[in-house]
Each structure stands twice: as structure tokens, then as C-alpha cells.
Amino acid sequence: MLRLAVATQGETYERMRDPLADRGIDVVALRAKERAIGLTDTVSDGVPDVDVGFVFPSRLMEGGALDALLGVPWVNDREAVVTSRNKGGVAAALSNAGLPVPETVMLSNPVSEREVVEAVSGLSYPLVVKPNSATRGVGVTKVDDEDSLLGVVDYLDLVHDYRATGDKSYLVQEFLPDARDYRAMVVDGDCYGGVERRLPDPAREAGRWKHNVHRGAEADAVDLPVEYRRVAESVAVALGIDYLGVDLLVTEERVVVGETNARPTIDHADKYDPGFYDALAGLVERTAGAEESRE
């Protein structure tokens, strides 16, 4: 039986374990953080004997150590995770590929207030300011005017002034009011449906606008139109990522790619098209087989 080390814990691990076992894949948990990792023979606490890994760990340093110890290929390796995490890089790559993204400017600190103002001069308020490499909506804020923008920039300057801060970039992006928020799931080039993420009515009436599930939004199964599916599939092809969550923002006039996630949480099976787990199992088998063919 093929053995799969899963570095994505929580709901994803629990939801994929039995369906993949039914398809001949033994799912093994791989804890990648908040633990001691033995790196040499004399102090090693052991790593699982597996054939393939599922999604390179989010902490890249720990992931690098475990990758060396395991010595197996990954469904979404380090390069895929790094590519998707760089929101500015994704926006640029998709724009160059002719795919729709919000109007976006990247700022690399330190930059002066004058440079910030000039950089966004072609955009209209309100604007969204977001860290370039954070997830789950952390640090994302909306600003309504220049004073508010520069106030947020002041806080970013303080954070980026800390020498150990690795990523000193952030994005300023057009805000799409009343956009519907969809997460499409692409596996091995095909979209297997997705969900619409919506805040509860009281939250929206109170002025909240972030649709991240980790911020209280609900993810409801939807029948994604063919147009949305094709956009999501084109995104995965453009980025070269086999297993990808694609966030689509949809208004009456536009469908744009908000962000991508190379470590997307797997939702309940009834929120995806039939065949989702068959495709996922096939991708795992193909990834393991690709390594075997090189040996």
C-alpha cells in the first residue's frame, strides 16, 4: 500500500484519511512544527517510512529538514508553496499570462510617503492593504483615504524596521465592493467545484467585509459556473501547481483572481464534485510514480 505523509494537519488530515485509504493510500501524519526534530542518526526520533509527501510544510525551515530526512517527492513541493505564498509574484505572473487580477502595487520597504502616494495615484479609494506573504486574512485592512493609508504604512514601517523581519513587502490593491468570494479547488489541472465564502448577515450589516473562514465566514457548496472553473484551471496551469485553491472575486462586471493557496484546507466531500478523491489519489500516485521513474 502506498504511504503518504501529510504535513497539513487538522481538518484536512481527518477528512482525507479514510477516502484515500479506500483508494489504497495509507495516510500518515507528519508533524512539522512545535516539536523537536532529530537531524542525525544518534538523536533522530524517527520519521515515517513513506513513499510521498502531501504539501510541503508551511514553516519552510522545518520543512527543509523533514524533506531531507524523508527523501520523497511532494504533492506541492517547496517551490509550489513559496510561489503561491508570494501574493505579488502571483499577481504579476497571472497578469502576464492574461488572467484577471485586481489592480495591484507592491511596495518594498523602506519607501517614503511620497513614493507610496505616487505608487497608488492611479488607483481609486477605498483600497486594500495586505502583507505580501501572510495567510488567512491576517493583516489585511481597507483604507478610505490617503491619511488612512499612510497611517497603516506607519505601522508596517515599524514592523519592517525589525532586522529579523524576512518579508519587508506589502501590497496595495483595488477594493471590489460587494464582490462574491469563491474558493475553487483544482486537482491535477481540473476544477472539482468549490464553495462560496460568506459572512453571516449580522457581520455584513456591521460593516465587516473579509470572507476568510478563519474570520467567521461560512463556506457553502455552490455549483461553480464553467467560466469560473476555467479561470481557476488556467491559474493552476500558469503557476505550475497541481493542487491549488483559487480565490475568485466576482462582481457584476468582472471575475478576478484574488489569491491562491497551495496548502488549501480540504472541505467536506459533499462540497466538491464527484471524482474529487479519485483525482487526488491519482495525483498522489502520479507524484510517487514520477520519483520511481527517475530512479
Side-chain angles (χ1 to χ4, degrees):
M1 181 181 255
L2 196 67
R3 301 196 78 209
L4 175 68
V6 176
T8 305
Q9 301 298 296
E11 297 116 329
T12 290
Y13 172 78
E14 294 296 333
R15 289 168 182 163
M16 72 189 303
R17 181 173 53 183
D18 291 341
L20 290 188
D22 293 341
R23 291 161 175 82
I25 299 173
D26 183 21
V27 174
V28 180
L30 178 66
R31 186 178 169 194
K33 62 182 180 180
E34 299 175 356
R35 56 164 292 193
I37 302 174
L39 303 179
T40 59
D41 291 340
T42 55
V43 297
S44 175
D45 58 356
V47 293
D49 182 13
V50 295
D51 305 291
V52 59
F54 183 78
V55 185
F56 198 90
S58 59
R59 293 189 181 180
L60 301 180
M61 299 301 103
E62 290 92 324
L66 289 170
D67 181 36
L69 292 171
L70 290 171
V72 299
W74 293 83
V75 173
N76 286 14
D77 57 12
R78 184 183 187 279
E79 182 179 355
V81 172
V82 171
T83 294
S84 178
R85 182 176 292 178
N86 183 348
K87 295 180 175 66
V90 167
L94 297 184
S95 179
N96 283 341
L99 293 167
V101 294
E103 294 297 322
T104 307
V105 176
M106 174 186 276
L107 284 305
S108 176
N109 264 339
V111 292
S112 67
E113 288 190 354
R114 178 183 57 79
E115 290 174 296
V116 172
V117 172
E118 289 180 355
V120 304
S121 60
L123 304 178
S124 299
Y125 290 95
L127 297 171
V128 174
V129 184
K130 60 174 64 173
N132 184 47
S133 55
T135 61
R136 300 183 174 183
V138 173
V140 179
T141 190
K142 179 162 62 78
V143 295
D144 295 314
D145 52 43
E146 185 177 301
D147 284 342
S148 299
L149 170 62
L150 295 179
V152 172
V153 168
D154 283 343
Y155 279 103
L156 290 171
D157 289 345
L158 290 174
V159 173
H160 293 163
D161 191 49
Y162 182 53
R163 290 178 60 187
T165 301
D167 182 4
K168 298 181 185 292
S169 64
Y170 60 97
L171 306 181
V172 182
Q173 196 169 69
E174 68 171 314
F175 176 67
L176 301 177
D178 302 320
R180 300 176 79 95
D181 188 317
Y182 297 92
R183 161 65 62 84
M185 187 70 86
V186 180
V187 182
D188 215 7
D190 293 318
C191 179
Y192 284 87
V195 297
E196 180 178 1
R197 302 182 295 191
R198 290 173 53 85
L199 287 168
D201 289 339
R204 292 201 308 274
E205 292 166 1
R208 290 180 56 193
W209 56 277
K210 295 182 187 179
H211 293 278
N212 304 81
V213 172
H214 294 90
R215 299 280 172 161
E218 299 166 350
D220 299 321
V222 293
D223 184 12
L224 286 178
V226 172
E227 176 192 0
Y228 302 176
R229 292 170 181 264
R230 297 299 172 262
V231 170
E233 291 167 355
S234 297
V235 169
V237 170
L239 298 180
I241 300 178
D242 293 323
Y243 168 68
L244 188 66
V246 180
D247 296 344
L248 301 174
L249 300 176
V250 180
T251 68
E252 292 184 0
E253 298 84 18
R254 304 164 64 192
V255 178
V256 301
V257 180
E259 294 181 6
T260 64
N261 190 336
R263 307 186 83 254
T265 298
I266 291 179
D267 216 314
H268 296 286
D270 58 7
K271 295 184 180 180
Y272 301 123
D273 297 344
F276 169 78
Y277 277 110
D278 290 333
L280 188 60
L283 176 57
V284 171
E285 292 167 350
R286 181 172 67 79
T287 302
E291 179 69 11
E292 290 174 1
S293 68
R294 290 195 294 269
E295 295 177 350

